[in-house]
Amino acid sequence: MSKFVLAAQTSQSLSLAAMEEASRAGLRVADLEHLFLALVISDQAAGGSLRSMGIDIDGARRAVEEAHAAQLASLGIEASFPEAGRIVFHETDGYDWSKRAYDLIARSVDKDKNGDAAAVLRELVSEPSGLIANILERLGTTPQAVLEHLDRFDAAAERTATRPAKVKGRVSGSIETFVPAPIDGVWQFLVDPERIPDWEMSVGSIDHVVQGFTPGMVWQGLAPESRPDGKPVNVKPRFRRRSIELVTAHQPERIAWSFTYPDAPESSAILTEFILVNTTGGTQVQISKSWSRRPGWRRLVALPLRPLQKFIVWITLFQTGGAVSRAFR
């Protein structure tokens, strides 16, 4: 993966998580503390390093709240922040980075820095305001200890990194996401047909859900009529219905769903597969989507569209991963 692609994907994933965390407090500007929270749940080595130090999302949130309260008290202000609620980022708009957070992320791609989450974390723990150092102190550690642990963890992760195998004759894509929940709970969420609308953006509702879920069972889904922010969705009639088949359900490590459009028989079935691995602080989830390539002349016509196709696959995977993580935060 090129430095540009890695930095862009890192920025996108950290932006989503940080702004989701800001939205819990009714804020529209994500600052350094929200970037720190995003790094705690990052699927990259930076997140794994923090979690292996015993820093989880609940503890990090408490430390941020305590740091804010202490800062107000030091100014002689007796006030309390409103209690954080659920994530509403996907239902609202108007979010942005603070200038200092934006500049910090930009520095993570300077010169010989590659712009991954580890580079962002190294910049963050060295920021001069003292906010992150204060938060880390409340978590029982220091910026220096975080940097030293990250160096060891990052090197080990690079040695053991693997790439998913490509399947001949199929268009495919894969990403990983960290979910701050036990593996059994994540598996139950992903295998439940009623929860499909929570992570599959093209499905708004499921008809006639029956008890139990056995491979080979098929459900009918309907396209959403509106987005989470309330804006209407225009869907062509032949793409309104989806047949959804549970292909694989191996507890607790693997689930696969097949999605087809019964009113558009020329379209390919899309296979969405989840592979779950128990990890420190939660579950690492690999999400893959694949479908058959068009044969003959249609495949040749589609060749110039491959880069756009890859981008669309990544965006849909990114949305799915974000939705799964959000369901447990």
Side-chain angles (χ1 to χ4, degrees), residues 139-251:
L139 289 166
T141 188
T142 65
Q144 186 60 35
V146 169
L147 289 174
E148 291 173 356
H149 192 274
L150 177 60
D151 287 340
R152 295 191 298 272
F153 194 95
D154 202 14
E158 186 175 351
R159 288 194 301 271
T160 59
T162 60
R163 293 183 180 181
K166 293 183 178 180
V167 180
K168 187 176 181 180
R170 293 183 69 84
V171 178
S172 63
S174 178
I175 67 166
E176 290 195 3
T177 190
F178 171 78
V179 181
I183 190 170
D184 288 333
V186 179
W187 192 89
Q188 290 290 341
F189 171 80
L190 292 172
V191 82
D192 186 349
E194 287 190 280
R195 303 306 299 269
I196 289 175
D198 292 335
W199 54 261
E200 173 53 55
M201 303 299 105
S202 67
V203 178
S205 61
I206 302 290
D207 286 344
H208 309 300
V209 174
V210 297
Q211 293 295 323
F213 22 78
T214 304
M217 294 181 69
V218 178
W219 291 264
Q220 297 299 315
L222 296 175
E225 296 180 355
S226 62
R227 297 186 178 91
D229 61 6
K231 295 179 181 178
V233 176
N234 295 319
V235 181
K236 293 181 179 179
R238 65 196 188 109
F239 295 125
R240 285 178 182 163
R241 292 197 305 147
R242 300 205 78 173
S243 291
I244 306 167
E245 178 185 354
L246 180 59
V247 178
T248 304
H250 292 162
Q251 189 171 8

Side-chain angles (χ1 to χ4, degrees), residues 9 12 175 201 289 308-322:
Q9 292 186 357
Q12 182 78 4
I175 67 166
M201 303 299 105
K289 287 184 182 287
L308 176 60
Q309 197 175 56
K310 289 181 179 180
F311 177 74
I312 293 173
V313 171
W314 184 81
I315 285 294
T316 58
L317 286 166
F318 176 73
Q319 291 174 334
T320 299

Side-chain angles (χ1 to χ4, degrees), residues 19 21-31 33-34 68 94-95:
M19 292 174 189
E21 289 298 315
S23 77
R24 293 179 65 247
L27 302 174
R28 291 294 187 272
V29 176
D31 204 358
E33 64 270 37
H34 306 113
H68 283 161
Y95 292 84

Side-chain angles (χ1 to χ4, degrees), residues 54-213:
I55 300 173
D56 61 18
I57 186 63
D58 291 332
R61 283 171 172 170
R62 286 193 299 272
V64 167
E65 292 170 0
E66 291 170 1
H68 283 161
Q71 186 177 39
L72 288 178
S74 70
L75 298 173
I77 300 174
E78 294 186 6
S80 61
F81 288 91
E83 186 175 348
R86 66 184 184 87
I87 293 170
V88 297
F89 171 80
H90 56 299
E91 302 170 0
T92 49
D93 54 21
Y95 292 84
D96 204 352
W97 283 113
S98 68
K99 184 179 186 305
R100 63 179 181 175
Y102 178 86
D103 290 344
L104 187 148
I105 294 173
R107 290 197 300 273
S108 72
V109 295
D110 283 349
K111 298 178 182 179
D112 58 344
K113 302 168 188 173
N114 63 8
D116 66 356
V120 176
L121 180 56
R122 289 186 176 96
E123 292 293 326
L124 185 62
V125 299
S126 304
E127 62 86 24
S129 76
L131 173 62
I132 301 303
N134 189 325
I135 292 170
L136 291 175
E137 182 180 358
R138 295 173 187 280
L139 289 166
T141 188
T142 65
Q144 186 60 35
V146 169
L147 289 174
E148 291 173 356
H149 192 274
L150 177 60
D151 287 340
R152 295 191 298 272
F153 194 95
D154 202 14
E158 186 175 351
R159 288 194 301 271
T160 59
T162 60
R163 293 183 180 181
K166 293 183 178 180
V167 180
K168 187 176 181 180
R170 293 183 69 84
V171 178
S172 63
S174 178
I175 67 166
E176 290 195 3
T177 190
F178 171 78
V179 181
I183 190 170
D184 288 333
V186 179
W187 192 89
Q188 290 290 341
F189 171 80
L190 292 172
V191 82
D192 186 349
E194 287 190 280
R195 303 306 299 269
I196 289 175
D198 292 335
W199 54 261
E200 173 53 55
M201 303 299 105
S202 67
V203 178
S205 61
I206 302 290
D207 286 344
H208 309 300
V209 174
V210 297
Q211 293 295 323
F213 22 78

Side-chain angles (χ1 to χ4, degrees), residues 9-40:
Q9 292 186 357
T10 299
S11 176
Q12 182 78 4
S13 62
L14 292 179
S15 293
L16 173 65
M19 292 174 189
E20 284 179 341
E21 289 298 315
S23 77
R24 293 179 65 247
L27 302 174
R28 291 294 187 272
V29 176
D31 204 358
L32 299 178
E33 64 270 37
H34 306 113
L35 179 55
F36 175 70
L37 295 174
L39 285 163
V40 169

